[in-house]
């Protein structure tokens, strides 16, 4: 696999205000990359730098080996883009907007364009200013997909879409992935990223704090093991074991609840010395992991060390 | 305090218009006083002025026009349209505009009745209009004092109040119309159309005998029944009361309808008035010529404004060419009695004011000013598009930034050329129709020569938009226009040095109707425009978009 999107020490500030700071990552071709972060974290700044709408202070961004600033026009032949806040001529109808952008792209496959319009059930005869938020989003999504771009850069693409259209969007992304196209999407909706993406990057205060496959990110996790025993057991038996962060006894020593990180091998071996009645392990959702990255004390630093 | 209630918050939003419109419109009223004060020096001049005014009696009542107050009242007759623009826009925006933006939803989520929210907003609008009226009255009184008018303070205040009242009626009409339209701009458009009809209705009785009953259908008629700046004429209390009643009726009816309809919806009209049910369409392509390129899209955007500005500029040029011969004798004797005005016309027009071509030449200098004002409005569209993010998706298509900028500029340049050419056609046709002999080459120079000036201000606007936000860019261009106008029109009279006069592009426009096209000067203006556009393009291809 080769990297189709690369950033290297990408930094951007707005006057004295922080935008992003030394953001470095790679997205492999054919990957669906989720760019996660809360509002103001720097997601849109990164995307606008990739789109050549902003010029980096330092660092570089490349798409398909082309410099995002110097060769931006060449890059845009390859890209479909959805901005975070769709702003288009309010007096044009949805159909006119799609036709305009089709012309600007040098023409698109009309059959596929009509197919997309059908899939999103878009009424193309209404003026853009008359559309609901969701319908505005549909127009912008269709224009991003209509030329079957090699790379899709989508800034919070499902914001305002109803669940049915979100499903349609998920299917489009899945189809793009199956066709080997690359999708870079930003979101603060964790379930969306967990469902759609193969790789995830988490940005906080303008810095990339975490990047890896969804499975990797979830592997470096905190989870909880709860065990009950036929007899009261000493909770101290589990303290200090590899992977154990906290131990809490309950039911007068008949049960322990362990906060875990990493492998559970030592815990299982220690538990084998006692008559185990039940053992449950609760997996964290990506949501739990994500939220922990935004804890005030920056708790995940410990986890971040061993990750790509 | 200003954020303690909806009333005060709305009033706070209006403070700049109150000051700007109040003082600005006050100056509009005072300016004819300034110009006429030098004319009213001899009985003959007064007689000529009355006679000249009678030529335009269709426009406004000719009452004591040989006094400062009477002349000012007469002159602003047609300007009622200009004065009503703000209340028209503000009232159509008051509820409908907020509904479009969705901000009214938030306001109506507060625990207070919908009627009260609307009432507080309407009260703020009325208060703002009253404040504007008082400001206009103050400025008019000050102007009157300066130029020796015979009206007093209370007359000036009553004049302002009368204006505020007719504006409140127009505002009320816009508010009422906005209850029936889905969009603010539609309400404003319909009200503007109605206002035009009212102005025409008011004119009817001055043109057609025994037709006063028609004019009584227009609120403008009742505004004109009071002429406080003419002390001998005074105020018509009945008309004032009627305007108050009309404002109240329109305002209360609007609020009553507003309280009973859906937010974001309209008042339900009878079935036969409703537009036909529109079936959702998924059809493509729409095959619209204006969607083929950035340039074509730019033309599509600029087409409608170009039509209106062409009607204004070419219409004005045609009308003045057509009418100049009819005014020749009166103008000649009028100007001969006022050396100041004679000099002014000579400085601006470059010829003898008593000669048609000289007078026309002076008036034609206004044409590039109008064209430049048009260009300023279109530059505003460009910078607003960037500011509002509408360029993001265009630039996300494989279009070089330079192509996008030049495409839009080329559309504006095309519109500018169209206006220039149609102005030439209108002027030539008017000259032919009136039998006026004008040098065709010079007429072409005078009309087409304004095009480089339009391109100049546009290119400066494009350059400045590389750094400035939309409002600042437009403000800068408006300021430049004012300064240039002042330099060229007042500077010669004040004996300013030639180096200062050269700072204004109007200097390079010259007096083409008399002296032909100053080719070197025009090429100089074009060169500066190209330079500014080049620098603007250089900036645009390197800048952060939307920052």
């Amino acid at each position: 696999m080769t990297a189709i999107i690369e950033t290297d020490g990408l930094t951007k500030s707005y006057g004295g205000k922080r935008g992003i700071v030394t953001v470095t990552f790679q997205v492999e071709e054919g990957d669906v990359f989720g760019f996660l972060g809360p509002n103001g974290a720097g997601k849109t700044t990164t995307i606008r730098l990739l789109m050549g709408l902003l010029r980096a202070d330092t660092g570089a961004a490349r798409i398909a080996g082309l410099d995002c600033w110097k060769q931006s026009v060449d890059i845009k032949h390859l890209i479909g883009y959805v901005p975070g806040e769709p702003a288009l001529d309010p007096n044009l109808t949805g159909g006119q907007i799609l036709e305009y952008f089709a012309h600007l792209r040098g023409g698109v496959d009309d059959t596929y364009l009509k197919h997309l319009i059908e899939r999103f059930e878009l009424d193309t005869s209404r003026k853009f200013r008359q559309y609901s938020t969701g319908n505005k989003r549909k127009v912008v999504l269709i224009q991003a997909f209509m030329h079957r771009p090699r790379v899709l850069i989508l800034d919070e693409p499902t914001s305002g879409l109803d669940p049915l259209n979100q499903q349609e969007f998920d299917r489009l992304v899945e189809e793009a992935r199956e066709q080997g196209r690359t999708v870079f999407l930003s979101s603060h909706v964790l379930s969306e990223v967990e469902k759609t993406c193969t790789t995830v990057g988490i940005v906080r205060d303008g810095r990339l704090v975490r990047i890896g496959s969804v499975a990797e990110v979830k592997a470096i996790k905190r989870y909880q093991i709860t065990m009950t025993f036929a007899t009261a057991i000493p909770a101290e038996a589990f303290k200090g074991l590899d992977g154990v962060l906290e131990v809490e006894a309950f039911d007068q020593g008949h049960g322990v609840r362990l906060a875990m990180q990493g492998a559970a091998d030592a815990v299982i071996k220690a538990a084998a010395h006692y008559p185990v009645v039940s053992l449950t392990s609760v997996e964290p959702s990506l949501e739990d992991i994500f939220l922990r990255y935004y804890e005030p004390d920056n708790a995940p630093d410990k986890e971040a060390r061993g990750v790509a | 305090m200003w954020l303690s209630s909806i009333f005060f918050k709305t009033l706070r939003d209006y403070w700049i218009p109150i000051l700007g419109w109040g003082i600005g419109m006050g100056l509009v009223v005072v300016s004819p006083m300034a110009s006429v004060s030098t004319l009213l020096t001899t009985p003959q001049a007064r007689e000529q002025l009355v006679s000249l005014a009678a030529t335009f009696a269709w426009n406004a009542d000719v009452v004591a026009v040989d006094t400062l107050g009477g002349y000012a009242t007469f002159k602003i007759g047609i300007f009622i349209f200009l004065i009503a623009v703000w209340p028209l826009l503000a009232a159509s925006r008051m509820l409908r505009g907020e509904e479009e933006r969705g901000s009214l939803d938030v306001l109506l989520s507060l625990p207070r009745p919908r009627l009260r929210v609307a009432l507080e907003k309407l009260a703020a609008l009325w208060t703002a209009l009253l404040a504007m009226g008082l400001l206009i009255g103050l400025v008019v009184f000050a102007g009157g004092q300066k130029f020796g008018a015979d009206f007093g303070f209370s007359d000036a205040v009553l004049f302002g109040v009368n204006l505020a009242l007719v504006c409140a009626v127009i505002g009320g009409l816009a508010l009422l119309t906005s209850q029936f339209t889905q969009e603010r701009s539609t309400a404003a458009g319909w009200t503007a159309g109605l206002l035009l009809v009212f102005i025409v209705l008011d004119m009817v009785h001055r043109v057609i005998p025994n037709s006063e009953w028609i004019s009584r259908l227009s609120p403008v008629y009742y505004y004109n029944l009071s002429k406080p700046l003419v002390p001998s004429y005074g105020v018509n209390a009945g008309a004032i009361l009627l305007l108050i009643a009309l404002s109240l009726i329109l305002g209360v009816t609007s609020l009553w309808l507003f309280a009973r309809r859906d937010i974001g919806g309209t008042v339900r009209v009878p079935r036969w008035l409703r537009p036909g049910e529109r079936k959702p369409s998924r059809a493509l392509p729409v095959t619209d010529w204006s969607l083929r390129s950035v340039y074509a899209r730019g033309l599509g955007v600029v087409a409608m404004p170009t039509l209106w500005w062409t009607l204004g500029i070419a219409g004005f040029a045609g009308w003045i060419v057509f009418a100049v011969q009819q005014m020749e004798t009166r103008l000649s004797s009028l100007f001969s009695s006022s050396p100041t005005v004679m000099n002014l016309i000579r400085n601006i027009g470059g010829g003898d004011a008593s000669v048609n071509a000289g007078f026309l030449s002076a008036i034609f200098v206004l044409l590039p000013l109008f064209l430049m004002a048009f260009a300023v409005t279109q530059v505003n569209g460009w910078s607003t598009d960037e500011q509002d993010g509408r360029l993001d998706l265009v630039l996300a298509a494989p279009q070089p930034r330079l192509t996008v900028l030049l495409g839009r500029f080329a559309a504006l340049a095309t519109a500018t050329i169209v206006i220039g050419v149609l102005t030439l056609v209108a002027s030539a046709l008017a000259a032919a129709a009136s039998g006026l002999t004008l040098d065709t080459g010079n007429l072409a120079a005078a009309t087409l020569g304004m095009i480089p000036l339009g391109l100049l201000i546009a290119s400066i606007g494009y350059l400045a938009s590389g750094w400035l936000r939309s409002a600042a860019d437009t403000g800068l261009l408006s300021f430049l226009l004012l300064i240039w106008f002042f330099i060229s029109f007042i500077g010669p009279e004040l004996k300013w040095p030639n180096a200062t006069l050269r700072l204004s592009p109007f200097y390079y426009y010259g007096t083409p109707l008399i002296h032909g096209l100053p080719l070197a000067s025009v090429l100089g203006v074009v060169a500066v425009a190209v330079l500014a556009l080049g620098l603007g393009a250089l900036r645009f291809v390197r800048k952060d978009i939307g920052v």
Side-chain angles (χ1 to χ4, degrees), chain A residues 169-189:
Chain A
F169 169 77
D170 292 344
R171 280 194 284 272
L172 270 176
V173 170
E174 181 60 23
E175 287 168 20
R177 195 186 65 75
E178 285 169 4
Q179 291 159 7
R181 294 188 272 143
T182 308
V183 181
F184 181 100
L185 70 87
S186 79
S187 178
H188 53 244
V189 181

Side-chain angles (χ1 to χ4, degrees), chain A residues 12 48 52 99 124-125 129, chain B residues 183 278 281 286 392 544-545:
Chain A
K12 177 70 186 176
R48 288 172 65 79
E99 189 161 313
T124 54
S125 62
R129 66 162 177 256
Chain B
E183 289 161 16
R278 198 186 51 81
S281 163
V286 288
D392 283 20
D544 291 339
I545 299 298

Side-chain angles (χ1 to χ4, degrees), chain B residues 111 133 178 203 225-226 279 282 286 326 398 412 434-435 444 468 504 544:
Chain B
S178 72
M203 288 174 178
L225 285 182
S226 298
K279 289 184 180 166
R282 297 195 181 115
V286 288
Q326 298 169 19
L412 171 54
S434 66
L468 301 178
S504 164
D544 291 339

Side-chain angles (χ1 to χ4, degrees), chain B residues 52 55 321-331 356 434:
Chain B
L52 187 64
T55 313
V321 168
F322 187 81
V324 73
Q325 255 190 334
Q326 298 169 19
M327 296 188 275
E328 184 178 17
T329 316
R330 288 169 189 152
L331 285 171
N356 281 334
S434 66

